Amino acid sequence: MSILRIDGRACDELRPLKFDVDYLSHPLASVFISNGNTRVLTAVSFEDKVPSWMKNQKVSGGWVTCEYGMLPSATTERCRREAAAGKQGGRTVEIQRLIGRSLRMAVELEKLGERTFYLDCDVIDADGGTRCASITGSSLALAIGCKRLFPANENPFKELVAAISVGIINGTPMLDLCYAEDSSAEVDMNVVMTESGKLVEVQGTAEGAPFSRRELNDLIDLAEHGLKQIFVRQREILESI
Amino acid sequence: MSILRIDGRACDELRPLKFDVDYLSHPLASVFISNGNTRVLTAVSFEDKVPSWMKNQKVSGGWVTCEYGMLPSATTERCRREAAAGKQGGRTVEIQRLIGRSLRMAVELEKLGERTFYLDCDVIDADGGTRCASITGSSLALAIGCKRLFPANENPFKELVAAISVGIINGTPMLDLCYAEDSSAEVDMNVVMTESGKLVEVQGTAEGAPFSRRELNDLIDLAEHGLKQIFVRQREILESI
Amino acid sequence: MSILRIDGRACDELRPLKFDVDYLSHPLASVFISNGNTRVLTAVSFEDKVPSWMKNQKVSGGWVTCEYGMLPSATTERCRREAAAGKQGGRTVEIQRLIGRSLRMAVELEKLGERTFYLDCDVIDADGGTRCASITGSSLALAIGCKRLFPANENPFKELVAAISVGIINGTPMLDLCYAEDSSAEVDMNVVMTESGKLVEVQGTAEGAPFSRRELNDLIDLAEHGLKQIFVRQREILESI
Amino acid sequence: MSILRIDGRACDELRPLKFDVDYLSHPLASVFISNGNTRVLTAVSFEDKVPSWMKNQKVSGGWVTCEYGMLPSATTERCRREAAAGKQGGRTVEIQRLIGRSLRMAVELEKLGERTFYLDCDVIDADGGTRCASITGSSLALAIGCKRLFPANENPFKELVAAISVGIINGTPMLDLCYAEDSSAEVDMNVVMTESGKLVEVQGTAEGAPFSRRELNDLIDLAEHGLKQIFVRQREILESI
Amino acid sequence: MSILRIDGRACDELRPLKFDVDYLSHPLASVFISNGNTRVLTAVSFEDKVPSWMKNQKVSGGWVTCEYGMLPSATTERCRREAAAGKQGGRTVEIQRLIGRSLRMAVELEKLGERTFYLDCDVIDADGGTRCASITGSSLALAIGCKRLFPANENPFKELVAAISVGIINGTPMLDLCYAEDSSAEVDMNVVMTESGKLVEVQGTAEGAPFSRRELNDLIDLAEHGLKQIFVRQREILESI
Amino acid sequence: MSILRIDGRACDELRPLKFDVDYLSHPLASVFISNGNTRVLTAVSFEDKVPSWMKNQKVSGGWVTCEYGMLPSATTERCRREAAAGKQGGRTVEIQRLIGRSLRMAVELEKLGERTFYLDCDVIDADGGTRCASITGSSLALAIGCKRLFPANENPFKELVAAISVGIINGTPMLDLCYAEDSSAEVDMNVVMTESGKLVEVQGTAEGAPFSRRELNDLIDLAEHGLKQIFVRQREILESI
């Protein structure tokens, strides 16, 4: 493809990707992921109890949940601090539910023991794709955390997951949208996949005009193409721990 | 297909669908939709001002937003009243954002004038698929409301949208899941489409195990099959107003 | 009396009254009451625990509480959704306390067992008198629920209660005010009574000018006149269950 | 009557009543009312604007509103501080709405000018009847405040109001209940009256068993008897200002 | 010093100080402190449990905590009621944390038993120095409460504390600032001390311009001078109980 | 001094200090400060309006305010996310008020124009002294921001401020406490100073036992000794921008 993108990338090209492991002193594991100018600090902690609804329903095993946040200074215009506003916005709630669901697919909950794992995803710098970077980063952090916490033969971690955004801009499908692209996309899609190539979540949203089945397929193809490269990078780091 | 479902339907069969127009005395338009045992009261109201962010960003035209709620007695176990709890839950927030986005695709915002349209979707009785019934019902209500409010040649309503849930249960794709099916589905998908057959939202979620591209396609096929029948019903009613 | 009311009724005439039993699929009992154009969905559910203050004070038996709400589209001008606003308004709080107190007089709390009964009163369509319709409807629903839950000789339900609004408009006492009448009333009174003719709550409020003892008495007479007819209707249905 | 009450009073006897005018340095007027061991600090302030709903509805004149609170140490068992709990309880809301309604009957709103008057009623020490003491105290404070703020010929204050509690204990109607009496009353009633002897609010509540019309009448008689004495005391002080 | 202050005091002169013991009927002990026109009602209550964090950390003994509030009518301009606003303001939070910390220094927590002591400090009338009056008053109330609750040889109360404000106004250090002085001070300092002359808290804040070490020392000298007189007064009363 | 500290430092020795300028893409200026293992991201943004109280009081010029937060994974035990909890804790409120006050001393508010400057201080990793690091970092960020925004002759920035913690541990005064030292300190003090050596805030708190005037003086001496070194570092960087 010869269409030039805002930052000079090809349409099927990822932004530079970097994982900084154990960036933080205290949690079980942490991964500071940079995806272009988007930087998200993901961390895994746990406590030895499960949510009360699990107790009430007598579900055995543990739970994985996510909390997502954005520093007020992470965006072009300073965004309001949710702690000061006294509530999390709708976008935040939607995103942290997506991350939580996705990561629960990466582990066998019943092998976690009576524990709740917290995935904290805090956006330090935002340039599009923060929910996908959060999933990709916290998936690696959770894999590392499980490796540390459990003996190899009891490891509840099943499979790495990763996520990438794709979209259609001026009629052309593009991979890994930066903020400027995301804002002008006609269709916006987030694809969460497992390392073995299966789908965990597909969320496609028409922004300007509805889309066809064919466009849907092209976008998922493009996402798969990018996710394969991401899994190679995650795998490399996980093996080295 | 010869697999029998809980309620005796074929796998590609919708539940009985009923639209009760102008069920309410006061709003511009209302549709009380029954989809099997799921019943949702959808209503359209408007006020002559737009959200403050629109004013600040000097976007012209109007806005469409949705508020979704569930009566505490609509569910098997009484669910907590969100007004008494002092906040809307994450599921509610996620659903009303989805409905709002979907319905904004049905109209030309710039033709709405300086108005905010509220879609109130209140679940009276829940048996699965409440967000889809909300979209299907409020789409019809919004179409009717626009017909009443605007001269034909200035009608901002572009196209009907509708939504249906599909899922994979015991390896079999099924259409229009009831609650018992939804709870045991391996994959759960909501598809929002336009009357002309294009996609507005696709939200597929692996519940038990990740899914393949082929399964994704089968599910969307099934959804299309159901949605075509729904559009016939919506259209009939809209023409009769 | 020859004064004509807005809707053509005589001053001592009730609006058409209808009870739709078991309108809902899930709760122990539900009554959808229509009182003229006012429609309220009342439902009874219970859970096997009591409020913590009862435990602390070692009160034996159970508890009955009410939650009242209004659909945003139930009123002439769309009213704000309390769940979205993050709190119940003062009017809501006042009303649900009145309903709860009134219905606790209908049962023997100590015979309820360690249970909390929830009366959910949700206004679907409002045209005045919603608190009274809520009491009348939920009283029947609670009677039906108790009949279902307890053996006849242990039934904690003592006596039906019902409520009606009365008021003075242009100097004339009138029964069962609709919204337009309620808004212009000089005095507004809600009377809650037992089937045996005793008073449970009397709440009289001067809206325009204070009222005399004689007016108070006339209003209660009028309320009694209406309530007797309501008890006949409740009784009929209760016997038929 | 020869029945002896807890504190030795006759059944139709008020507790000692004291008004301490201008107890506070800052507000327009304040009255510290002692009714037996119940002590409530009532104060009147105003600001030069009206609530936004008045502006929207283009109602002319001003508004009177009440805020009621209780010091945590005012009760036998320390009660929770509502500011720390983050919300006003249902009882508080119900009481301050009653006080506000009652005092709005004491003035001509349209003569207040574009002002909101705040009646702050803070219970310093509680021994039953705090809402009645709040009305009686703030009525005097509002009368004094209006006298100070307006020229005599433009004074919007119409008439003093006062309130007293009455109840039935062991079958006997009693006036001005203290907390111990209030807790064991079968019927509990609050009567708000004007100096000219008309009713502003009547709120009678069955606590243990429903009550008859005759009991209702006896209670209002008793209340009138007490209120006449209170008006004499209010009047004396008001004249002396 | 010959500089005349607003109220005619010398620069090193306290305002009139008065302690009214057991002003309230219900709590374990209460002190109504008047410091010039500043009046604060301080009360001590307790309950037989400790905060959950103490239980979790297995800290033995009890806890002392403070809640501070201001009546809306205590200030020149009516201040917003925090219970109605739904949250305590930052100033309130800061002040009650200071009072709590200071009073915890007055007792041996491990001797309190499994109890939480509440210090309620409610400002009835404000004219500067409310946090200092709160500490001085509640220190005496806590001393009296402990004397009542514990046998002399198990009394957990170690030592009286008291607090005073000092500040620099037009370059001159002054003791015990009233509101008008406080508003125009260049430096504002609160000093909390023990009866034996040691420091518990020193909080000095530059308001207009930063201050020198020498000024800091002068201010603490002045505070010590005032606090010695206050301890004499507290001691007198405590001995008389 | 020959006493060895936990991390091998001398008693009057600072932890390694690092300033990373413009760590963030979007705000006017940002400084990522590392003070030993404590790392705080400070950022300066502004908007072209002032708080409503300034407008009401007709104060001219601008305002500087601070919001402080801590990532949940910044502490040894994961701390609760305040946005999810729905409110900022008391400690957070206290700290951000201190930072705001301190930084307002660094600028001439009336020269800021009708603008509000936000200092966002987000703790990424906590090991004691986060409020002091926040002040030191945001002071530099604000200085840089002003240099960028204003012409040199209209620069409202007056003077750098910086802060350091000091404390007494086992009777010995120590500089720049890490978390383990802070937890066991008998006295804990934060000193905020200007580059010219004057005091902005002094907050000394007895944790275990009250302290003497002499100890107070020793601690401020120690703080001054450390702050002088910090000002050299801030100045260097500011000159290089």
Side-chain angles (χ1 to χ4, degrees), chain C residues 13 19 29 46 145 206:
Chain C
E13 190 182 342
F19 298 93
F46 68 95

Side-chain angles (χ1 to χ4, degrees), chain B residues 203-222:
Chain B
Q203 294 204 342
T205 300
E207 297 285 350
F211 51 105
S212 66
R213 285 291 293 274
R214 181 175 173 158
E215 287 171 317
L216 172 71
N217 280 320
D218 287 352
L219 287 171
I220 301 183
D221 285 344
L222 202 52

Side-chain angles (χ1 to χ4, degrees), chain B residues 22-27 32 37 39 41 43 45-46 67-78 80-88 96 118-122 124-127, chain C residues 22-27 32 37 39 41 43 45-46 67-78 80-88 96 118-122 124-127:
Chain B
D22 287 336
Y23 185 79
L24 296 175
S25 321
H26 303 298
F32 190 16
N37 292 324
R39 290 187 284 176
L41 198 33
S45 318
F46 68 96
E67 288 183 4
Y68 170 96
M70 221 174 207
L71 296 197
S73 46
T75 48
T76 316
E77 298 290 307
R78 179 183 186 271
R80 200 171 174 200
R81 186 178 293 267
E82 292 183 324
K87 59 180 284 195
Q88 296 181 301
Q96 69 193 9
Y118 290 92
L119 307 172
D120 285 295
C121 298
D122 285 277
I124 303 299
D125 228 338
D127 186 27
Chain C
D22 287 338
Y23 185 80
L24 296 176
S25 322
H26 303 299
F32 189 16
N37 292 325
R39 290 186 285 174
L41 198 33
S45 319
F46 68 95
E67 287 183 4
Y68 170 96
M70 219 174 210
L71 296 198
S73 45
T75 48
T76 315
E77 296 291 306
R78 179 183 187 270
R80 200 172 174 198
R81 186 177 294 268
E82 292 183 324
K87 61 179 284 195
Q88 295 181 300
Q96 67 191 9
Y118 291 93
L119 307 172
D120 286 295
C121 298
D122 286 277
I124 303 299
D125 228 337
D127 187 26

Side-chain angles (χ1 to χ4, degrees), chain B residues 14-199:
Chain B
L14 291 173
R15 292 183 285 180
L17 188 66
K18 208 183 118 202
F19 300 93
D20 198 341
V21 175
D22 287 336
Y23 185 79
L24 296 175
S25 321
H26 303 298
L28 176 62
S30 64
V31 169
F32 190 16
I33 179 172
S34 306
N35 183 27
N37 292 324
T38 287
R39 290 187 284 176
V40 184
L41 198 33
T42 67
V44 176
S45 318
F46 68 96
E47 56 175 11
D48 287 330
K49 65 176 182 186
V50 293
S52 53
W53 64 261
M54 277 188 83
K55 285 214 159 166
N56 295 344
Q57 295 181 19
K58 309 199 178 188
V59 178
S60 71
W63 190 242
V64 175
T65 190
C66 172
E67 288 183 4
Y68 170 96
M70 221 174 207
L71 296 197
S73 46
T75 48
T76 316
E77 298 290 307
R78 179 183 186 271
C79 61
R80 200 171 174 200
R81 186 178 293 267
E82 292 183 324
K87 59 180 284 195
Q88 296 181 301
R91 182 185 165 277
T92 294
V93 168
E94 196 176 79
I95 290 176
Q96 69 193 9
R97 285 168 61 88
L98 167 65
I99 303 173
R101 276 202 309 272
S102 297
L103 268 292
R104 282 192 289 278
M105 293 301 295
V107 294
E108 291 180 80
L109 296 175
E110 60 285 3
K111 286 194 182 170
L112 292 177
E114 198 168 326
R115 295 189 180 95
T116 300
F117 285 78
Y118 290 92
L119 307 172
D120 285 295
C121 298
D122 285 277
V123 180
I124 303 299
D125 228 338
D127 186 27
T130 64
R131 79 189 71 186
C132 291
S134 297
I135 290 170
T136 302
S138 60
S139 164
L140 183 54
L142 185 55
I144 295 171
C146 285
K147 214 165 161 176
R148 287 177 176 158
L149 194 65
F150 296 94
N153 61 338
E154 294 173 13
N155 193 335
F157 198 85
K158 290 191 298 189
E159 195 176 6
L160 284 163
V161 301
I164 199 72
S165 77
V166 284
I168 298 178
I169 295 156
N170 294 329
T172 308
M174 294 187 181
L175 177 67
D176 190 12
L177 310 185
C178 67
Y179 180 71
E181 290 171 337
D182 188 69
S183 312
S184 61
E186 292 113 49
V187 183
D188 182 18
M189 186 170 299
N190 295 295
V191 179
V192 188
M193 211 173 258
T194 62
E195 201 178 358
S196 59
K198 292 213 153 186
L199 296 160

Side-chain angles (χ1 to χ4, degrees), chain D residues 22 25-30 43-46 117 141-142 144-146 148-149:
Chain D
D22 287 337
S25 324
H26 304 298
L28 175 63
S30 64
V44 176
S45 319
F46 68 96
F117 285 77
L142 185 57
I144 296 171
C146 285
R148 287 178 175 157
L149 193 64

